[in-house]
């Protein structure tokens, strides 16, 4: 009896603790990567301008211009991309809706064959397909999930994608400009703050990966630092050539 109780308790504990991380990243992944993109691109831009012996005022203007240009570019690109994807999905849903209306029997057989291919007995597969196909909207949703791999009720919003991209990029791009706006006259505080931000972004990304937070943070810090260092050297070279 005690053995059975122990086994039952173990089963319950396993059932309660059997959870998975969000493998798609949800909103966290695009938000963090948008901020990271803003950080890397803007700190690289500012270090490149600083390498050309520009004044602190010029560096600030370059940073703010990079923030605005990058954020608007990201928003426009994301809006166009998501809107195009959404239009394509809606067009395919219209095709499937017409097929369900014109050839309901063929579509039912197609769904039954799909369940059969997954190991369901033919008679049961046909019965399941028949019952699920009674409601046209439910049938459309099932065919969309099975054939297109999409959820008709959960399509992405172009406006939300654009605003999110704009905000996350702008937030990241603002970080290296902040020291100058707060009175700094040298480049190193901006670079230091940007590197801290990159490490933090990398550490947050570890929530949706299998890496440890310090590894992910350090990797992003090194990549961002390398980008800033290369553009600084390029700025020196270009400044020398132009000067």
């Amino acid at each position: 009896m005690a053995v059975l109780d122990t086994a039952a308790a173990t089963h319950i504990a396993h059932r309660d603790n059997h959870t998975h991380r969000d493998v798609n990243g949800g909103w966290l992944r695009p938000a963090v990567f948008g901020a990271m993109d803003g950080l890397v691109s803007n700190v690289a831009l500012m270090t490149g301008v600083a390498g050309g012996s520009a004044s602190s005022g010029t560096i600030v203007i370059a940073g703010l211009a990079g923030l605005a240009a990058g954020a608007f570019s990201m928003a426009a690109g994301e809006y166009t991309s998501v809107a195009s994807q959404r239009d394509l999905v809606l067009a395919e849903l219209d095709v499937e809706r017409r097929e369900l209306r014109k050839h309901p029997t063929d579509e039912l057989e197609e769904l039954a064959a799909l369940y059969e291919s997954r190991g369901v007995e033919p008679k049961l597969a046909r019965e399941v397909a028949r019952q699920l196909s009674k409601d046209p909207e439910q049938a459309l949703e099932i065919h969309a999930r099975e054939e297109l791999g999409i959820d008709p009720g959960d399509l992405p919003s172009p406006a939300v994608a654009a605003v999110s991209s704009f905000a996350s990029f702008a937030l990241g791009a603002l970080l290296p400009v902040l020291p100058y706006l707060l009175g700094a006259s040298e480049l190193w505080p901006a670079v230091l703050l940007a590197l801290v931000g990159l490490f933090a972004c990398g550490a947050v990304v570890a929530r949706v990966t299998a890496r440890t937070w310090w590894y992910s943070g350090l990797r992003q810090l090194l990549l961002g630092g390398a980008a800033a260092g290369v553009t600084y050297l390029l700025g020196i070279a270009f400044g020398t050539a132009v000067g």
Side-chain angles (χ1 to χ4, degrees):
M1 186 69 175
V3 174
L4 291 177
D5 290 342
T6 302
T10 303
H11 173 72
I12 293 173
H14 178 268
R15 184 185 61 192
D16 291 342
N17 294 327
H18 188 68
T19 58
H20 294 283
R21 288 175 295 182
D22 181 5
V23 296
N24 293 318
W27 60 269
L28 179 64
R29 185 179 183 278
V32 172
F33 276 100
M36 200 179 295
D37 191 12
L39 257 171
V40 173
S41 62
N42 218 30
V43 73
L45 172 65
M46 291 172 65
T47 53
V49 173
S53 300
S55 65
S56 59
T58 302
I59 297 173
V60 172
I61 293 173
L64 292 175
L67 184 157
F72 280 113
S73 176
M74 285 283 291
E78 195 69 16
Y79 183 91
T80 302
S81 174
V82 174
S84 299
Q85 180 185 10
R86 186 185 178 92
D87 290 342
L88 176 60
V89 169
L90 291 176
E92 290 300 314
L93 287 176
D94 285 338
V95 171
E96 192 64 37
R97 188 178 284 109
R98 287 196 300 270
E99 289 298 313
L100 285 168
R101 186 173 61 252
K102 293 179 179 179
H103 309 289
T105 303
D106 292 341
E107 291 296 309
L108 188 149
E109 293 293 341
E110 182 180 321
L111 189 60
L114 178 66
Y115 290 141
E116 284 185 48
S117 69
R118 295 183 177 178
V120 180
E121 295 180 357
K123 184 177 180 181
L124 179 59
R126 183 174 176 80
E127 179 61 21
V128 170
R130 186 188 67 79
Q131 292 190 26
L132 293 176
S133 299
K134 288 181 179 179
D135 181 359
E137 287 303 314
Q138 178 176 262
L140 175 63
E141 181 178 338
I142 293 171
H143 279 272
R145 288 177 184 272
E146 298 292 350
E147 297 178 28
L148 303 175
I150 58 173
D151 182 355
D154 191 28
L155 298 182
S157 167
V160 170
V163 172
S164 300
S165 296
F166 183 96
S168 60
F169 185 97
L171 182 62
L174 179 63
L175 208 57
V177 185
L178 271 179
Y180 283 101
L181 297 179
L182 296 176
S185 58
E186 297 181 3
L187 180 64
W188 70 264
V191 174
L192 180 61
L193 185 58
L195 293 178
V196 171
L198 286 169
F199 183 87
C201 285
V204 172
V205 168
R207 289 188 58 185
V208 292
T209 67
R211 299 290 187 182
T212 58
W213 64 270
W214 60 265
Y215 176 88
S216 184
L218 185 60
R219 179 178 60 181
Q220 195 55 44
L221 184 150
L222 292 175
L223 290 173
V230 169
T231 52
Y232 182 78
L233 294 176
L234 289 174
I236 293 176
F238 294 154
T240 302
V242 173

